[in-house]
Amino acid sequence: MKKWLLAAGLGMALATSAQAADKIAVVDMNSLFQQVAQTSGVSQKMKSEFGSRASELQRLESDLQTKMQRYQRDGSTMKAAERSKLEKDIQSQRQQLAQKGQSFEQDQARRSNEERAKLMTRIQAAVKKVASSQGVDLVIPSNAAIYNSSDVKDITADVLKQVK
């Protein structure tokens, strides 16, 4: 009798786990994020927003390189006042370039994070909508699953269609 109850309990546990597998899905968030970012033109937005500042930094760096080369080439033959003026100019331009470069990187990182957050919000809303429409109770990122059998539903393609 005990063996029969144990077998029945094991059968119910397997049936329950099979039902639970139907309500669990995985989604490839990395793939979704890359594809949505490409289609939404985030990189173009960022280039247009920061392109002029990047060009200015390149121009400043090129100008600084030219002055440094001139100093190395002609520094020993220059008059002391001219050499001192060039040294101060180079030092000033180095500081200006460092400050502008740091500000540029911070602004670009901040905007990049803002755009990422917008994309993640859109993706998460699409995941919720797809999961709800397909009767899925739990969606986990595919890279977070230690193991998943072929029975687990992958809703990545459906989410991508929903986001677009």
Side-chain angles (χ1 to χ4, degrees), residues 14-26 130-139 149-155:
L14 288 174
T16 304
S17 68
Q19 282 180 327
D22 289 343
K23 298 193 179 245
I24 297 174
V26 294
V130 168
S132 173
S133 71
Q134 294 184 10
V136 174
D137 292 331
L138 176 67
V139 179
S149 68
S150 59
D151 296 341
V152 175
K153 186 185 289 188
D154 186 346
I155 61 170

Side-chain angles (χ1 to χ4, degrees), residues 8 25 27-28 55 75 80 97 107 112 114 128-130 141 153 156:
V27 65
D28 186 349
S55 298
L97 182 63
D107 291 347
S112 179
E114 288 172 2
K128 285 179 183 177
K129 190 169 185 176
V130 168
K153 186 185 289 188
T156 304

